[in-house]
Amino acid sequence: MMSSIKRFSIGAILGIVIAGTYWVGTNYFDYSINLIRGLLGCLVLGIICGLITLKWGYQVLESLLENLH
């Protein structure tokens, strides 16, 4: 049970970091996303990444991060 919570949390944190990075990048390039939309996007992507990690493990996160480069 604790390992499932740990897996989900790590995936959710990574999803929030990815979404937050995108959100900051849009502000940097003068295409701003409003606060509510940005926070909801971060939350949704965090939940999705957490569920993906819970289902398929950490290897999916590694390949996701490799594809971001």
Side-chain angles (χ1 to χ4, degrees), residues 21-32:
T21 304
Y22 174 74
W23 187 19
V24 169
T26 59
N27 289 332
Y28 180 72
F29 292 111
D30 294 331
Y31 173 73
S32 63

Side-chain angles (χ1 to χ4, degrees), residues 3 8 11 20 28 30 38 43 45 48 51-52 56-57 62-65 67:
S3 65
F8 178 82
Y28 180 72
D30 294 331
L43 181 66
L45 190 63
I48 289 171
L51 292 174
I52 287 172
W56 291 293
E62 183 180 345
S63 65
L64 180 67
L65 288 175
N67 290 329

Side-chain angles (χ1 to χ4, degrees), residues 9-55:
S9 298
I10 290 172
I13 290 170
L14 185 63
I16 289 171
V17 167
I18 291 169
T21 304
Y22 174 74
W23 187 19
V24 169
T26 59
N27 289 332
Y28 180 72
F29 292 111
D30 294 331
Y31 173 73
S32 63
I33 297 175
N34 63 12
L35 180 66
I36 301 298
R37 192 171 176 193
L39 290 176
L40 285 176
C42 289
L43 181 66
V44 167
L45 190 63
I47 290 171
I48 289 171
C49 285
L51 292 174
I52 287 172
T53 306
L54 187 62
K55 175 105 174 139

